[in-house]
Coordinates of all heavy atoms in Angstrom, one line a residue:
M179 N -10.8 -6.3 13.1 CA -10.1 -5.9 12.0 C -8.9 -6.8 11.8 O -8.2 -7.1 12.8 CB -9.6 -4.4 12.3 CG -8.7 -3.9 11.2 SD -8.1 -2.2 11.5 CE -7.3 -2.3 12.9
P180 N -8.7 -7.3 10.6 CA -7.6 -8.2 10.4 C -6.3 -7.5 10.4 O -6.2 -6.3 10.1 CB -7.9 -8.8 9.0 CG -8.7 -7.7 8.3 CD -9.6 -7.1 9.4
K181 N -5.2 -8.2 10.8 CA -3.9 -7.7 10.8 C -3.3 -8.0 9.5 O -3.3 -9.0 9.0 CB -3.2 -8.5 12.0 CG -1.7 -8.2 11.9 CD -1.3 -7.0 12.7 CE 0.2 -6.9 12.9 NZ 0.9 -6.0 12.1
Y182 N -2.8 -6.9 8.9 CA -2.1 -7.0 7.6 C -0.6 -7.1 7.8 O 0.0 -6.4 8.6 CB -2.4 -5.8 6.7 CG -3.9 -5.8 6.4 CD1 -4.8 -4.9 7.0 CD2 -4.5 -6.7 5.5 CE1 -6.1 -4.9 6.7 CE2 -5.9 -6.7 5.2 CZ -6.7 -5.8 5.9 OH -8.0 -5.8 5.6
P183 N 0.1 -8.0 7.1 CA 1.5 -8.3 7.4 C 2.4 -7.2 6.8 O 2.0 -6.6 5.8 CB 1.7 -9.6 6.7 CG 0.8 -9.7 5.6 CD -0.5 -8.9 6.1
N184 N 3.6 -7.1 7.4 CA 4.6 -6.3 6.7 C 5.3 -7.2 5.7 O 5.5 -8.4 5.9 CB 5.7 -5.9 7.8 CG 5.1 -4.9 8.7 OD1 4.0 -4.4 8.6 ND2 5.8 -4.8 9.9
R185 N 5.6 -6.7 4.5 CA 6.2 -7.5 3.5 C 7.4 -6.7 2.9 O 7.5 -5.5 3.0 CB 5.2 -7.7 2.4 CG 3.8 -8.3 2.8 CD 3.7 -9.8 2.6 NE 3.9 -10.6 1.5 CZ 3.0 -10.9 0.6 NH1 1.8 -10.3 0.7 NH2 3.2 -11.7 -0.3
I186 N 8.2 -7.4 2.2 CA 9.4 -6.8 1.4 C 8.7 -6.4 0.1 O 8.2 -7.2 -0.6 CB 10.6 -7.8 1.2 CG1 11.1 -8.4 2.5 CG2 11.6 -7.2 0.3 CD1 11.8 -7.3 3.4
V187 N 8.9 -5.1 -0.2 CA 8.2 -4.5 -1.4 C 9.2 -3.7 -2.2 O 10.2 -3.2 -1.6 CB 7.0 -3.7 -1.0 CG1 5.9 -4.6 -0.3 CG2 7.4 -2.6 -0.1
T188 N 8.8 -3.4 -3.5 CA 9.5 -2.4 -4.2 C 8.4 -1.4 -4.8 O 7.3 -1.8 -5.0 CB 10.2 -3.0 -5.4 OG1 9.3 -3.7 -6.2 CG2 11.4 -3.9 -5.0
N189 N 8.9 -0.2 -5.0 CA 7.9 0.8 -5.6 C 7.5 0.4 -7.0 O 8.2 -0.3 -7.7 CB 8.6 2.2 -5.7 CG 8.8 2.8 -4.3 OD1 7.9 2.7 -3.4 ND2 9.9 3.5 -4.1
R190 N 6.3 0.8 -7.4 CA 5.8 0.5 -8.7 C 5.1 1.8 -9.2 O 4.7 2.7 -8.4 CB 4.9 -0.6 -8.9 CG 3.7 -0.6 -8.2 CD 2.8 -1.8 -8.3 NE 1.6 -1.7 -7.5 CZ 0.4 -1.5 -7.9 NH1 0.2 -1.4 -9.2 NH2 -0.6 -1.5 -7.1
K191 N 4.8 1.9 -10.5 CA 4.0 3.0 -11.0 C 2.6 3.0 -10.5 O 2.0 2.0 -10.4 CB 4.0 2.9 -12.5 CG 3.4 4.1 -13.2 CD 3.4 4.0 -14.7 CE 2.7 5.2 -15.3 NZ 2.5 5.1 -16.7
S192 N 2.0 4.1 -10.1 CA 0.7 4.2 -9.6 C -0.3 3.8 -10.7 O -0.2 4.3 -11.8 CB 0.4 5.6 -9.1 OG 1.3 5.9 -8.0
P193 N -1.3 3.1 -10.4 CA -2.4 2.8 -11.4 C -3.3 3.9 -11.6 O -3.2 4.8 -10.9 CB -3.1 1.6 -10.7 CG -2.9 1.7 -9.3 CD -1.5 2.4 -9.1
S194 N -4.1 3.8 -12.7 CA -4.9 4.9 -13.0 C -6.0 5.2 -12.1 O -6.5 6.3 -11.9 CB -5.5 4.7 -14.5 OG -6.3 3.5 -14.4
N195 N -6.5 4.2 -11.3 CA -7.5 4.4 -10.3 C -6.9 4.4 -8.9 O -7.5 4.0 -7.9 CB -8.5 3.2 -10.4 CG -7.9 1.9 -10.1 OD1 -6.7 1.7 -10.1 ND2 -8.7 0.9 -9.8
E196 N -5.8 5.2 -8.8 CA -5.0 5.2 -7.5 C -5.9 5.9 -6.4 O -5.9 5.4 -5.2 CB -3.8 6.1 -7.7 CG -3.0 6.3 -6.5 CD -2.1 5.1 -6.1 OE1 -2.1 4.1 -6.8 OE2 -1.5 5.1 -5.0
A197 N -6.7 6.9 -6.7 CA -7.5 7.5 -5.6 C -8.5 6.5 -5.0 O -8.7 6.5 -3.8 CB -8.2 8.8 -6.2
D198 N -9.2 5.7 -5.9 CA -10.1 4.7 -5.4 C -9.4 3.7 -4.6 O -9.9 3.3 -3.5 CB -10.8 4.1 -6.6 CG -11.7 5.0 -7.4 OD1 -12.1 6.0 -6.8 OD2 -11.9 4.7 -8.6
L199 N -8.3 3.2 -5.0 CA -7.4 2.2 -4.2 C -7.0 2.8 -2.9 O -7.1 2.0 -1.8 CB -6.3 1.7 -5.0 CG -6.6 0.9 -6.3 CD1 -5.4 0.7 -7.1 CD2 -7.3 -0.4 -5.9
I200 N -6.6 4.0 -2.8 CA -6.2 4.6 -1.5 C -7.4 4.8 -0.5 O -7.3 4.4 0.6 CB -5.5 6.0 -1.8 CG1 -4.1 5.7 -2.3 CG2 -5.5 6.8 -0.5 CD1 -3.4 7.0 -2.7
N201 N -8.5 5.1 -1.1 CA -9.7 5.2 -0.3 C -10.1 3.8 0.3 O -10.4 3.7 1.5 CB -10.9 5.8 -1.0 CG -10.7 7.3 -1.3 OD1 -10.0 8.0 -0.5 ND2 -11.3 7.9 -2.3
A202 N -10.0 2.8 -0.5 CA -10.3 1.4 -0.1 C -9.3 1.0 0.9 O -9.7 0.4 1.9 CB -10.3 0.4 -1.3
Y203 N -8.0 1.4 0.8 CA -7.0 1.0 1.7 C -7.3 1.7 3.1 O -7.2 1.0 4.1 CB -5.6 1.5 1.2 CG -4.4 1.1 2.1 CD1 -3.8 -0.1 1.7 CD2 -4.1 1.8 3.2 CE1 -2.7 -0.6 2.6 CE2 -3.1 1.3 4.0 CZ -2.4 0.2 3.7 OH -1.4 -0.3 4.5
K204 N -7.8 2.9 3.1 CA -8.1 3.6 4.3 C -9.3 2.9 5.0 O -9.3 2.9 6.3 CB -8.4 5.1 4.0 CG -7.1 5.8 3.7 CD -7.5 7.3 3.5 CE -6.2 8.1 3.0 NZ -6.6 9.5 2.7
E205 N -10.3 2.4 4.3 CA -11.4 1.7 4.8 C -11.0 0.4 5.5 O -11.4 0.2 6.6 CB -12.5 1.5 3.8 CG -13.1 2.7 3.3 CD -14.1 2.4 2.1 OE1 -14.3 1.2 1.8 OE2 -14.5 3.4 1.4
L206 N -10.1 -0.3 4.9 CA -9.6 -1.6 5.4 C -8.6 -1.4 6.5 O -8.5 -2.3 7.4 CB -9.0 -2.4 4.3 CG -10.0 -2.9 3.2 CD1 -9.2 -3.7 2.1 CD2 -11.0 -3.9 3.9
N207 N -7.9 -0.3 6.5 CA -6.8 -0.1 7.5 C -6.8 1.3 8.0 O -6.2 2.2 7.5 CB -5.4 -0.4 6.9 CG -4.3 -0.3 7.9 OD1 -4.5 -0.3 9.0 ND2 -3.1 -0.2 7.3
P208 N -7.7 1.6 9.0 CA -7.9 3.0 9.5 C -6.6 3.5 10.0 O -6.5 4.8 10.1 CB -8.9 2.8 10.6 CG -9.6 1.5 10.3 CD -8.6 0.7 9.6
R209 N -5.6 2.7 10.4 CA -4.3 3.2 10.9 C -3.6 4.1 9.9 O -2.8 5.0 10.2 CB -3.4 2.0 11.2 CG -2.0 2.4 11.7 CD -1.1 1.2 11.9 NE 0.2 1.6 12.4 CZ 1.3 1.7 11.7 NH1 1.2 1.5 10.4 NH2 2.4 2.1 12.2
A210 N -4.0 4.0 8.6 CA -3.3 4.7 7.5 C -3.7 6.2 7.5 O -2.9 7.0 7.0 CB -3.7 4.2 6.2
C211 N -4.7 6.6 8.3 CA -5.1 7.9 8.4 C -4.4 8.8 9.4 O -4.5 10.0 9.5 CB -6.7 8.0 8.8 SG -7.6 7.2 7.4
R212 N -3.5 8.1 10.2 CA -2.7 8.9 11.2 C -1.7 9.8 10.6 O -1.2 9.5 9.6 CB -2.0 7.8 12.2 CG -3.0 7.2 13.1 CD -2.1 6.5 14.2 NE -2.2 5.1 14.1 CZ -1.4 4.2 14.6 NH1 -0.4 4.7 15.4 NH2 -1.5 3.0 14.5
K213 N -1.3 10.7 11.3 CA -0.3 11.7 10.9 C 1.1 11.1 11.4 O 1.6 11.5 12.5 CB -0.5 13.1 11.5 CG -1.8 13.7 11.1 CD -1.7 14.3 9.8 CE -3.0 15.1 9.5 NZ -3.2 15.3 8.1
D214 N 1.7 10.2 10.7 CA 2.9 9.5 11.2 C 4.0 9.5 10.1 O 4.9 8.7 10.2 CB 2.6 8.1 11.7 CG 2.0 7.3 10.6 OD1 1.7 7.8 9.5 OD2 1.6 6.2 10.9
N215 N 3.9 10.4 9.1 CA 4.9 10.5 8.1 C 5.0 9.3 7.3 O 6.0 9.0 6.7 CB 6.2 10.9 8.6 CG 6.3 12.3 9.1 OD1 5.6 13.2 8.6 ND2 7.0 12.6 10.1
L216 N 3.9 8.5 7.1 CA 3.9 7.3 6.2 C 2.9 7.6 5.1 O 1.9 8.1 5.4 CB 3.5 6.1 7.0 CG 4.4 5.5 8.1 CD1 3.9 4.4 8.8 CD2 5.7 5.2 7.5
D217 N 3.3 7.2 3.9 CA 2.5 7.3 2.8 C 1.9 6.0 2.4 O 2.5 4.9 2.6 CB 3.3 7.8 1.6 CG 3.7 9.3 1.6 OD1 2.9 10.0 2.4 OD2 4.5 9.7 0.8
I218 N 0.7 6.1 1.7 CA 0.1 4.8 1.2 C 0.7 4.8 -0.2 O 0.5 5.5 -1.0 CB -1.4 4.9 1.1 CG1 -2.0 5.0 2.5 CG2 -2.0 3.6 0.4 CD1 -3.4 5.4 2.5
A219 N 1.6 3.8 -0.5 CA 2.4 3.7 -1.7 C 1.9 2.4 -2.5 O 1.5 1.4 -2.0 CB 3.8 3.4 -1.3
A220 N 1.9 2.6 -3.8 CA 1.7 1.5 -4.8 C 2.9 0.7 -4.8 O 4.0 1.3 -5.1 CB 1.3 2.0 -6.1
V221 N 2.9 -0.5 -4.5 CA 4.1 -1.4 -4.4 C 3.9 -2.8 -5.0 O 2.7 -3.1 -5.4 CB 4.6 -1.6 -3.0 CG1 5.0 -0.2 -2.3 CG2 3.5 -2.1 -2.1
R222 N 5.0 -3.4 -5.2 CA 4.9 -4.9 -5.7 C 5.6 -5.7 -4.6 O 6.8 -5.3 -4.3 CB 5.6 -5.0 -7.0 CG 5.4 -6.4 -7.6 CD 5.8 -6.4 -9.1 NE 5.1 -5.4 -9.9 CZ 3.9 -5.6 -10.4 NH1 3.2 -6.6 -10.1 NH2 3.4 -4.6 -11.2
A223 N 5.0 -6.7 -4.1 CA 5.6 -7.6 -3.1 C 6.8 -8.3 -3.7 O 6.8 -8.5 -5.0 CB 4.6 -8.6 -2.5
K224 N 7.6 -8.9 -2.9 CA 8.8 -9.7 -3.4 C 8.3 -10.9 -4.4 O 9.0 -11.3 -5.3 CB 9.6 -10.2 -2.3 CG 11.0 -10.7 -2.6 CD 11.8 -11.0 -1.4 CE 13.2 -11.3 -1.8 NZ 14.0 -11.6 -0.6
D225 N 7.1 -11.4 -4.0 CA 6.6 -12.6 -4.8 C 5.9 -12.0 -6.1 O 5.4 -12.9 -6.9 CB 5.7 -13.4 -4.0 CG 4.5 -12.8 -3.5 OD1 4.2 -11.6 -3.9 OD2 3.6 -13.4 -2.8
G226 N 5.8 -10.8 -6.3 CA 5.2 -10.3 -7.6 C 3.8 -9.8 -7.4 O 3.2 -9.2 -8.4
T227 N 3.2 -9.8 -6.2 CA 1.9 -9.5 -6.0 C 1.8 -7.9 -5.9 O 2.4 -7.4 -5.1 CB 1.3 -10.0 -4.6 OG1 1.5 -11.4 -4.6 CG2 -0.1 -9.7 -4.5
P228 N 0.9 -7.3 -6.9 CA 0.7 -5.9 -6.6 C -0.2 -5.5 -5.5 O -1.0 -6.3 -5.2 CB 0.1 -5.5 -8.0 CG -0.5 -6.6 -8.4 CD 0.2 -7.8 -8.0
G229 N 0.1 -4.4 -4.8 CA -0.7 -4.0 -3.7 C -0.3 -2.6 -3.2 O 0.4 -1.9 -3.9
H230 N -0.8 -2.3 -2.0 CA -0.4 -1.0 -1.4 C 0.0 -1.3 0.0 O -0.5 -2.2 0.6 CB -1.7 -0.1 -1.4 CG -1.9 0.5 -2.8 ND1 -2.4 -0.2 -3.8 CD2 -1.8 1.8 -3.2 CE1 -2.6 0.7 -4.8 NE2 -2.2 1.8 -4.5
A231 N 1.0 -0.4 0.4 CA 1.5 -0.6 1.8 C 1.9 0.8 2.3 O 2.0 1.7 1.5 CB 2.7 -1.5 1.8
L232 N 2.2 0.9 3.6 CA 2.6 2.1 4.2 C 4.2 2.2 4.1 O 4.8 1.2 4.6 CB 2.3 2.2 5.6 CG 0.8 2.2 5.9 CD1 0.4 2.2 7.4 CD2 0.1 3.5 5.3
L233 N 4.7 3.2 3.5 CA 6.1 3.5 3.4 C 6.5 4.9 3.9 O 5.6 5.7 3.7 CB 6.6 3.3 2.0 CG 6.7 2.0 1.3 CD1 7.1 2.1 -0.1 CD2 7.6 1.0 2.0
S234 N 7.6 5.1 4.5 CA 8.0 6.5 4.8 C 7.9 7.4 3.5 O 8.2 6.9 2.4 CB 9.3 6.5 5.5 OG 10.3 6.1 4.6
Q235 N 7.7 8.6 3.7 CA 7.6 9.6 2.6 C 8.8 9.6 1.8 O 8.8 9.7 0.5 CB 7.2 10.9 3.2 CG 5.9 11.1 3.8 CD 5.6 12.5 4.4 OE1 6.5 13.3 4.5 NE2 4.4 12.6 4.8
N236 N 10.1 9.7 2.4 CA 11.2 9.7 1.6 C 11.5 8.5 0.7 O 12.0 8.7 -0.4 CB 12.4 10.1 2.5 CG 12.7 9.0 3.5 OD1 11.9 8.1 3.8 ND2 13.9 9.1 4.1
I237 N 11.0 7.3 1.2 CA 11.2 6.1 0.4 C 10.2 6.1 -0.8 O 10.4 5.8 -1.9 CB 11.1 4.8 1.2 CG1 12.2 4.7 2.2 CG2 11.0 3.6 0.4 CD1 12.2 3.6 3.2
N238 N 8.9 6.4 -0.4 CA 7.9 6.4 -1.4 C 8.2 7.3 -2.6 O 7.9 7.1 -3.7 CB 6.5 6.7 -0.8 CG 5.4 6.7 -1.7 OD1 5.3 5.8 -2.7 ND2 4.4 7.5 -1.6
R239 N 8.6 8.5 -2.3 CA 8.8 9.6 -3.3 C 10.1 9.6 -3.9 O 10.4 10.3 -4.9 CB 8.6 10.9 -2.6 CG 7.2 11.1 -2.1 CD 6.9 12.3 -1.2 NE 5.5 12.1 -0.6 CZ 5.0 13.0 0.2 NH1 5.7 14.1 0.5 NH2 3.8 12.8 0.6
S240 N 11.0 8.6 -3.6 CA 12.3 8.5 -4.2 C 12.3 7.7 -5.6 O 13.1 7.9 -6.4 CB 13.3 7.8 -3.3 OG 12.9 6.4 -3.2
K241 N 11.1 7.0 -5.8 CA 10.9 6.2 -7.1 C 12.0 5.3 -7.4 O 12.3 5.0 -8.5 CB 10.7 7.2 -8.2 CG 9.4 8.0 -7.9 CD 9.1 9.0 -9.1 CE 7.9 9.8 -8.8 NZ 7.6 10.7 -9.8
D242 N 12.7 4.7 -6.3 CA 13.7 3.8 -6.5 C 13.2 2.4 -6.8 O 11.9 2.2 -6.6 CB 14.8 3.8 -5.4 CG 14.2 3.3 -4.1 OD1 13.0 2.9 -4.1 OD2 14.8 3.4 -3.1
R243 N 14.0 1.4 -7.1 CA 13.6 0.0 -7.3 C 14.2 -0.9 -6.3 O 14.3 -2.1 -6.5 CB 13.9 -0.4 -8.7 CG 13.2 0.3 -9.8 CD 11.8 -0.1 -9.8 NE 11.1 0.5 -11.0 CZ 9.8 0.4 -11.2 NH1 9.1 -0.4 -10.5 NH2 9.3 1.1 -12.3
D244 N 14.6 -0.3 -5.1 CA 15.2 -1.1 -4.1 C 14.1 -1.8 -3.2 O 13.0 -1.4 -3.3 CB 16.1 -0.2 -3.1 CG 17.2 0.4 -3.9 OD1 17.7 -0.2 -4.9 OD2 17.7 1.5 -3.4
N245 N 14.6 -2.8 -2.5 CA 13.6 -3.5 -1.6 C 13.5 -2.6 -0.3 O 14.5 -2.2 0.2 CB 14.1 -4.9 -1.3 CG 14.0 -5.8 -2.5 OD1 13.1 -5.7 -3.3 ND2 14.9 -6.8 -2.5
H246 N 12.3 -2.6 0.2 CA 12.0 -1.9 1.4 C 11.0 -2.8 2.3 O 10.3 -3.6 1.6 CB 11.3 -0.5 1.2 CG 12.2 0.4 0.3 ND1 13.4 0.9 0.8 CD2 12.1 0.7 -1.0 CE1 13.9 1.6 -0.3 NE2 13.1 1.5 -1.3
V247 N 10.7 -2.5 3.5 CA 9.8 -3.2 4.3 C 8.5 -2.3 4.2 O 8.5 -1.2 4.7 CB 10.3 -3.3 5.7 CG1 9.1 -4.0 6.6 CG2 11.4 -4.3 5.8
G248 N 7.5 -2.8 3.6 CA 6.2 -2.1 3.5 C 5.3 -2.5 4.7 O 5.1 -3.7 4.8
Q249 N 4.8 -1.6 5.4 CA 4.0 -2.0 6.6 C 2.6 -2.1 6.1 O 2.1 -1.4 5.3 CB 4.0 -0.9 7.7 CG 5.4 -0.6 8.2 CD 5.4 0.5 9.2 OE1 4.4 0.9 9.6 NE2 6.6 1.0 9.5
N250 N 1.8 -3.2 6.7 CA 0.4 -3.4 6.4 C 0.1 -3.6 5.0 O -0.7 -2.8 4.5 CB -0.5 -2.3 7.0 CG -0.3 -2.2 8.6 OD1 0.0 -3.2 9.2 ND2 -0.4 -1.0 9.0
F251 N 0.8 -4.5 4.3 CA 0.6 -4.7 2.9 C -0.8 -5.3 2.6 O -1.3 -6.2 3.3 CB 1.7 -5.7 2.3 CG 1.5 -6.0 0.9 CD1 2.0 -5.2 -0.1 CD2 0.8 -7.2 0.6 CE1 1.9 -5.6 -1.4 CE2 0.7 -7.6 -0.8 CZ 1.3 -6.8 -1.8
I252 N -1.5 -4.7 1.7 CA -2.9 -5.2 1.3 C -2.8 -5.4 -0.3 O -2.5 -4.4 -1.0 CB -4.0 -4.2 1.6 CG1 -4.0 -4.0 3.1 CG2 -5.3 -4.8 1.1 CD1 -5.1 -3.0 3.6
P253 N -3.0 -6.6 -0.8 CA -3.0 -6.8 -2.2 C -4.1 -6.0 -2.9 O -5.2 -5.8 -2.4 CB -3.3 -8.3 -2.4 CG -3.1 -8.9 -1.1 CD -3.3 -7.9 0.0
D254 N -3.8 -5.6 -4.2 CA -4.8 -4.9 -4.9 C -6.1 -5.7 -5.1 O -7.2 -5.0 -5.2 CB -4.3 -4.6 -6.3 CG -3.4 -3.3 -6.2 OD1 -3.3 -2.6 -5.2 OD2 -2.7 -2.9 -7.3
K255 N -6.0 -7.0 -5.2 CA -7.2 -7.8 -5.4 C -8.2 -7.6 -4.2 O -9.4 -7.4 -4.4 CB -6.8 -9.3 -5.3 CG -7.9 -10.3 -5.7 CD -7.7 -11.7 -5.6 CE -6.2 -12.1 -5.8 NZ -6.1 -13.6 -5.7
E256 N -7.7 -7.5 -2.9 CA -8.6 -7.2 -1.8 C -9.2 -5.8 -1.8 O -10.3 -5.5 -1.5 CB -7.9 -7.3 -0.5 CG -7.6 -8.8 -0.1 CD -7.0 -8.9 1.3 OE1 -7.5 -8.1 2.3 OE2 -6.1 -9.7 1.4
L257 N -8.3 -4.8 -2.3 CA -8.7 -3.5 -2.5 C -9.8 -3.3 -3.5 O -10.8 -2.5 -3.3 CB -7.6 -2.5 -2.8 CG -6.5 -2.4 -1.7 CD1 -5.3 -1.6 -2.2 CD2 -7.0 -1.9 -0.5
K258 N -9.7 -4.0 -4.6 CA -10.8 -3.9 -5.7 C -12.1 -4.5 -5.2 O -13.2 -4.1 -5.5 CB -10.3 -4.6 -6.9 CG -9.2 -3.8 -7.6 CD -8.6 -4.5 -8.8 CE -7.5 -3.7 -9.4 NZ -6.9 -4.4 -10.5
K259 N -12.0 -5.6 -4.3 CA -13.2 -6.1 -3.7 C -13.9 -5.1 -2.9 O -15.1 -5.0 -2.8 CB -12.9 -7.3 -3.0 CG -12.6 -8.6 -3.8 CD -12.3 -9.7 -2.8 CE -11.8 -10.9 -3.5 NZ -11.3 -12.0 -2.6
Q260 N -13.1 -4.3 -2.1 CA -13.7 -3.3 -1.2 C -14.3 -2.1 -2.0 O -15.3 -1.7 -1.6 CB -12.5 -2.8 -0.4 CG -12.9 -1.7 0.7 CD -13.9 -2.3 1.8 OE1 -13.9 -3.4 2.1 NE2 -14.6 -1.3 2.4
I261 N -13.7 -1.8 -3.1 CA -14.2 -0.7 -4.0 C -15.7 -1.1 -4.6 O -16.6 -0.3 -4.6 CB -13.3 -0.5 -5.2 CG1 -12.1 0.2 -4.7 CG2 -14.0 0.4 -6.2 CD1 -10.9 0.4 -5.7
K262 N -15.8 -2.5 -4.9 CA -17.1 -2.9 -5.4 C -18.3 -2.9 -4.4 O -19.4 -3.0 -4.7 CB -16.9 -4.3 -6.1 CG -16.1 -4.3 -7.3 CD -16.0 -5.7 -7.9 CE -15.2 -5.7 -9.2 NZ -14.9 -6.9 -9.8
K263 N -17.9 -2.9 -3.2 CA -19.0 -3.0 -2.1 C -19.8 -1.7 -2.1 O -19.5 -0.7 -2.3 CB -18.3 -3.1 -0.7 CG -17.8 -4.6 -0.5 CD -17.4 -4.7 1.0 CE -16.9 -6.1 1.2 NZ -16.4 -6.3 2.6

């Protein structure tokens, strides 16, 4: 299993296919299924890359535009490849 890096991210609006992207994220990163108060959040990396990462529930649900450290960032491009499999 590849190691996904932690990145500086900001919250973004959830895409219309959010459920499919979350399922793909769980397939690529089984750690996301643990009960550890982390949400799979739709985020944008500091370099502008859209993706998903693990954020604490209070940060994800605050809908702010501040920078946060997103754990195990996976770009949407990789998630869409996983959906097509």
Side-chain angles (χ1 to χ4, degrees):
M179 176 175 64
K181 168 87 169 105
Y182 296 106
N184 296 343
R185 308 266 303 272
I186 302 294
V187 297
T188 58
N189 288 325
R190 68 178 171 107
K191 185 178 177 188
S192 297
S194 60
N195 61 345
E196 179 75 5
D198 294 334
L199 292 171
I200 287 176
N201 289 334
Y203 187 94
K204 288 178 181 178
E205 289 173 12
L206 291 173
N207 184 14
R209 178 183 181 263
C211 297
R212 285 196 252 165
K213 302 274 186 205
D214 55 3
N215 292 327
L216 295 177
D217 284 345
I218 300 171
V221 296
R222 185 170 308 279
K224 195 172 184 180
D225 65 0
T227 306
H230 284 72
L232 297 174
L233 289 177
S234 68
Q235 291 177 354
N236 60 345
I237 293 172
N238 182 36
R239 297 173 187 176
S240 70
K241 299 182 182 181
D242 64 7
R243 295 290 182 179
D244 298 335
N245 290 329
H246 305 287
V247 176
Q249 298 177 17
N250 300 330
F251 177 83
I252 302 177
D254 280 354
K255 189 184 332 181
E256 285 186 42
L257 295 175
K258 289 176 183 176
K259 286 180 190 175
Q260 182 68 21
I261 291 171
K262 289 182 181 179
K263 286 185 180 179

